[in-house]
Amino acid sequence: MNTAKFYKVSLKQFQEGMTDFNFTKDEIKNIYDDIKLPKRATKGSAGYDFYTPIDITLKPNETIKIPTGIRCEMNERWVLMIYPRSGLGFKYRLQLNNTVGIIDSDYYYSDNEGHVFIKMTNDTNENKTVNVKKGEGIAQGLFMQYGIVEDDDTNEIRNGGFGSTTK
């Protein structure tokens, strides 16, 4: 594979990711049906916009973990790096809790189907509330190639999500 491709996770996996929210199964199914795959806004855009599947309101210092419903298959020597959308970071100081999300190529094959979550905090020092409507961009993902050292002998296989490689 010399490219990457975005997919939706299964409905079952998306439902598992939505447990922090108070939606019925039917509402979650409707949210799932409306999920938009990440897309570049212009042909000159480096990043693929990730869209929120639900309306989000974040008051100052509040945090939210957003299940995007998205997974990504990519070349073995690629990584998908997730950043906040520039405008949201600039206007509201909206921050990713892990600074930069790192989606490894083998995450796609994890038990959770490689479901990409975005955890953000409204870190405003201007007392601003962030409102993002369902279907609007919340983050952007950039693909990067990476190198490994000549004597790399890693042969472990991932089977989990956040922090799974340190267990």
Side-chain angles (χ1 to χ4, degrees):
M1 169 180 262
N2 291 323
T3 59
K5 186 167 179 167
F6 293 109
Y7 300 90
K8 284 186 188 183
V9 296
S10 68
L11 174 58
K12 180 180 183 281
Q13 181 57 51
F14 185 67
Q15 288 169 331
E16 290 176 18
M18 290 292 287
T19 56
D20 290 351
F21 300 94
N22 208 8
F23 292 108
T24 67
K25 278 192 171 191
D26 288 340
E27 289 171 325
I28 292 172
K29 170 75 166 87
N30 290 336
I31 293 166
Y32 176 81
D33 290 342
D34 290 342
I35 289 173
K36 293 167 46 175
L37 295 179
K39 184 177 181 195
R40 294 184 313 143
T42 68
K43 68 180 185 175
S45 298
Y48 285 80
D49 291 338
F50 278 73
Y51 308 102
T52 178
I54 56 174
D55 290 343
I56 293 171
T57 298
L58 273 180
K59 295 178 183 161
N61 300 311
E62 284 186 338
T63 297
I64 190 169
K65 182 174 77 173
I66 305 164
T68 65
I70 302 298
R71 66 193 296 214
C72 184
E73 184 177 28
M74 69 188 98
N75 184 293
E76 180 180 316
R77 299 282 297 274
W78 283 20
V79 61
L80 175 61
M81 300 169 68
I82 308 288
Y83 300 89
R85 292 274 318 271
S86 310
L88 293 174
F90 189 81
K91 292 177 192 171
Y92 300 99
R93 203 176 148 132
L94 196 61
Q95 305 289 319
L96 283 179
N97 283 38
N98 55 346
T99 311
V100 177
I102 300 295
I103 311 300
D104 298 309
S105 62
D106 59 352
Y107 185 51
Y108 180 82
Y109 303 101
S110 297
D111 282 349
N112 74 348
E113 301 177 20
H115 191 175
V116 175
F117 287 79
I118 297 173
K119 189 172 183 181
M120 305 185 102
T121 297
N122 179 356
D123 195 26
T124 182
N125 54 14
E126 299 170 350
N127 203 31
K128 293 181 178 178
T129 297
V130 178
N131 293 296
V132 183
K133 296 290 184 198
K134 173 182 176 174
E136 292 182 353
I138 192 78
Q140 57 185 328
L142 282 79
F143 290 99
M144 301 288 289
Q145 286 186 292
Y146 63 89
I148 56 175
V149 297
E150 188 176 299
D151 58 351
D152 184 278
D153 63 356
T154 304
N155 57 15
E156 297 297 318
I157 297 173
R158 171 189 307 276
N159 192 20
F162 310 109
S164 64
T165 57
T166 57
K167 291 181 181 172

